[in-house]
Amino acid sequence: MRTINKLALAGATALLANPAIAQEAPGLDEKINQAFANLTGPFVSFIFAPLPGTSFPWIVMWLVVAASVFTIYFALVQLRFFSHAISLVKGDYSDPNDAGEVSHFQALATALSGTVGLGNIAGVAVAVGIGGPGATFWMILAGLLGMASKFTECTLGVKYRNEYEDGTVSGGPMYYMSKGFKELGLPGGGFLAILFSIFCILGALGGGNMFQANQAHQQIAGIVGDYPGWITGLVFAVVVFMVIVGGLKSIARVTEKVVPFMGVLYVLTALVILIMNADMIGWAFGQIFAGAFTGLGVAGGMVGALIQGFKRAAFSNEAGVGSAAIAHSAVRTKEPITEGFVSLLEPFIDTVVICTMTALVIIITQQLIIDPETGNYMLNEAGTAIATVDGNSGVSLTSAAFGSAFSFFPYILAVAVILFAFSTMISWSYYGLKAWTYLFGEGHTKELIFKVIFCIFVVIGAAANLGPVIDFSDAAIFAMAVVNVFALYFLMKKVREELASYSSRLQSGEIRKFEH
């Protein structure tokens, strides 16, 4: 890892000092990419190893089973308290005197900015490109189930957080693992917390950073023409550093403005295309349902669609990963369960709404090539994915889908991509920072060291190729989920106690709305 940092810094310094050697940048990009691929290969292979005798990754099953267990254990909490969650976000039950750093809305915006990102744009395109339209059905199902996982982890995040005299707080899986296990008299909580923190730092540098910079560069280069990736990385690194150096309140102030704007911009853009092609919507949903259960001749068939759908949903909304619990832990409240309710809105907004929009636009604009004789989707030459109109994949496929409606739509998408990437990076910098300070202690200098490392990896991510970046991103984030879900099984009874207490007090009128 140190070698890569030196390589990236040396290259960036040399290029800044002498623009005349910018022509050598592709060589630098390739060196970074190769070193990165060699370094992360074994880790990626382990995380995505299939269940014996199948092609189904064990980690995907791990998350889906957990989400299903929490959905049943809490009796469909995501449906029963959906409207109450919206009331909480509006601030109807917010007491301004409660401890914490940010409001319910700011906490939701910060956590959403970490999840509503390029997984919604590029990730969905990857899922539909490999698994076909049917992957969308499984993505939506995973999103609905994941609401219960998010509810569980974010409730615990607030319940076991550390509150400091200066008004700041630190919370997240590492705290509910160490403190919650100790409260239950269980061993191993401290070890799990350390393990989670290590994976969280890797996840912050990978999925929350490098993948975002990588896809943002690809989208910008697609509009202005090809140029070295390190330039995009350097610009992002400087802007990100300027925001994250101000701490969580600075991040929350930015995300509460950026997230609603970028979400509305993207959804409205998609809606315009869907309205223009209203006659195709029924056909598109037919493709989604047929593909979910038959595969429609896609590589991997139904199982391939299911795997891609679940993988992308998990990477996009991060339910069960534990990352969002870190942001939600900083909310102003004395009722931990309220933030659990607020957080269950995340997978719904992220996966059920935004991811579905992306998938529908790709399907309706017919970017995926269908064999006119069989009605099945045609595979590319390698046989690994569906053939597309111009051979696009990832964010380029989404961009082409939007661009097929109006020539200027890729420019709007480019703005959305840049905002998505930027907001995801600043949120994940906070997640990684809290894991870093859990391991190495609080303190300005220790925090600054992490922030500088984080920004160096922005440059590396923009310069590396998509393959190794997306593999490492997935593996690091899913590794967090291995540790987190294991802990949630032991601690979920604490959440049920909180839920029972709050529900009874809400029904009796003891918990009331505040006038603002």
Side-chain angles (χ1 to χ4, degrees):
M1 201 68 80
R2 213 172 283 145
T3 307
I4 299 176
N5 288 351
K6 288 177 181 175
L7 181 63
L9 281 172
T13 305
L15 285 161
L16 284 170
N18 186 0
I21 65 169
Q23 295 299 318
E24 297 176 22
L28 171 66
D29 284 6
E30 188 51 46
K31 286 179 183 176
I32 292 173
N33 176 62
Q34 192 56 53
F36 188 73
N38 293 340
L39 189 72
T40 59
F43 174 61
V44 173
S45 298
F46 166 71
I47 292 296
F48 293 117
L51 291 167
T54 73
S55 60
F56 203 105
W58 67 271
I59 188 65
V60 175
M61 183 65 76
W62 177 253
L63 280 168
V64 173
V65 169
S68 303
V69 167
F70 299 138
T71 296
I72 296 166
Y73 187 75
F74 296 113
L76 295 172
V77 66
Q78 59 266 64
L79 299 181
R80 292 191 295 124
F81 285 91
F82 191 86
S83 61
H84 185 64
I86 294 172
S87 296
L88 287 164
V89 172
K90 285 163 57 184
D92 292 350
Y93 294 87
S94 298
D95 185 343
N97 298 316
D98 286 342
E101 293 186 71
V102 294
S103 67
H104 283 298
F105 179 76
Q106 287 177 319
L108 179 65
T110 302
L112 265 175
S113 70
T115 58
V116 177
L118 295 178
N120 304 77
I121 302 176
V124 173
V126 170
V128 174
I130 296 174
T136 312
F137 175 87
W138 299 110
M139 200 156 49
I140 293 169
L141 180 61
L144 292 170
L145 292 173
M147 292 166 74
S149 299
K150 193 82 81 163
F151 161 78
T152 309
E153 62 197 4
C154 291
T155 299
L156 290 168
V158 178
K159 182 174 175 62
Y160 291 106
R161 67 187 180 181
N162 282 356
E163 298 174 6
Y164 303 111
E165 289 183 3
D166 63 357
T168 61
V169 299
S170 287
M174 48 278 193
Y175 292 93
Y176 60 66
M177 287 168 189
S178 56
K179 294 165 77 172
F181 272 51
K182 187 176 181 181
E183 187 178 301
L184 291 171
L186 298 171
F191 171 73
L192 290 175
I194 292 170
L195 200 58
F196 177 87
S197 297
I198 292 168
F199 288 140
C200 184
I201 292 168
L202 291 174
L205 298 176
N209 180 342
M210 300 175 74
F211 176 72
Q212 309 299 323
N214 182 283
Q215 291 286 274
H217 171 70
Q218 188 176 325
Q219 178 65 18
I220 296 167
I223 289 176
V224 304
D226 197 31
Y227 67 96
W230 66 266
I231 297 175
T232 302
L234 205 58
V235 173
F236 265 105
V238 171
V239 179
V240 166
F241 186 79
M242 288 168 62
V243 174
I244 66 176
V245 78
L248 179 63
K249 288 184 179 178
S250 169
I251 292 170
R253 279 195 298 271
V254 173
T255 56
E256 75 171 339
K257 295 177 179 67
V258 172
V259 172
F261 173 75
M262 72 185 187
V264 169
L265 174 73
Y266 187 71
V267 169
L268 282 179
T269 305
L271 277 174
V272 169
I273 297 176
L274 296 181
I275 291 167
M276 287 173 58
N277 298 277
D279 58 320
M280 299 280 289
I281 293 176
W283 171 81
F285 275 108
Q287 293 287 296
I288 288 170
F289 285 110
F293 299 103
T294 66
L296 281 176
V298 176
M302 173 187 162
V303 175
L306 185 147
I307 291 171
Q308 287 302 320
F310 280 148
K311 269 182 70 174
R312 286 301 122 199
F315 181 51
S316 178
N317 66 45
E318 296 162 21
V321 169
S323 53
I326 301 173
H328 284 285
S329 296
V331 73
R332 280 192 297 270
T333 185
K334 57 178 176 289
E335 298 282 354
I337 203 80
T338 58
E339 204 52 27
F341 295 140
V342 169
S343 69
L344 64 75
L345 295 173
E346 274 176 53
F348 182 83
I349 296 168
D350 177 276
T351 307
V352 179
V353 177
I354 298 179
C355 285
T356 304
M357 288 284 188
T358 303
L360 282 172
V361 170
I362 292 171
I363 296 163
I364 282 174
T365 56
Q366 299 185 50
Q367 296 297 306
L368 309 175
I369 299 175
I370 297 176
D371 185 338
E373 293 182 11
T374 65
N376 289 332
Y377 287 95
M378 297 177 66
L379 299 181
N380 59 14
E381 291 181 6
T384 55
I386 298 172
T388 57
V389 175
D390 294 312
N392 292 309
S393 63
V395 75
S396 302
L397 176 58
T398 307
S399 183
F402 277 72
S404 68
F406 289 113
S407 59
F408 60 82
F409 267 25
Y411 296 96
I412 295 176
L413 185 65
V415 173
V417 165
I418 292 165
L419 291 175
F420 280 162
F422 170 65
S423 65
T424 300
M425 282 191 270
I426 61 175
S427 293
W428 269 93
S429 72
Y430 178 72
Y431 301 160
L433 175 65
K434 286 300 172 184
W436 180 271
T437 55
Y438 183 84
L439 291 177
F440 302 109
E442 311 272 348
H444 179 72
T445 305
K446 291 171 183 174
E447 292 182 11
L448 190 61
I449 289 170
F450 175 79
K451 289 170 183 175
V452 170
I453 292 171
F454 187 86
C455 290
I456 289 170
F457 271 80
V458 174
V459 181
I460 297 172
N465 288 342
L466 176 60
V469 171
I470 198 169
D471 288 346
F472 176 72
S473 301
D474 281 357
I477 287 174
F478 279 108
M480 291 166 64
V482 176
V483 186
N484 185 51
V485 168
F486 179 77
L488 292 181
Y489 283 135
F490 289 97
L491 296 168
M492 63 184 184
K493 61 183 178 183
K494 287 289 181 182
V495 179
R496 190 153 70 174
E497 290 170 8
E498 292 281 342
L499 180 59
S501 169
Y502 185 86
S503 297
S504 64
R505 286 180 288 129
L506 184 65
Q507 289 172 1
S508 70
E510 184 182 337
I511 291 175
R512 57 185 176 81
K513 293 185 178 182
F514 283 85
E515 295 293 331
H516 293 282

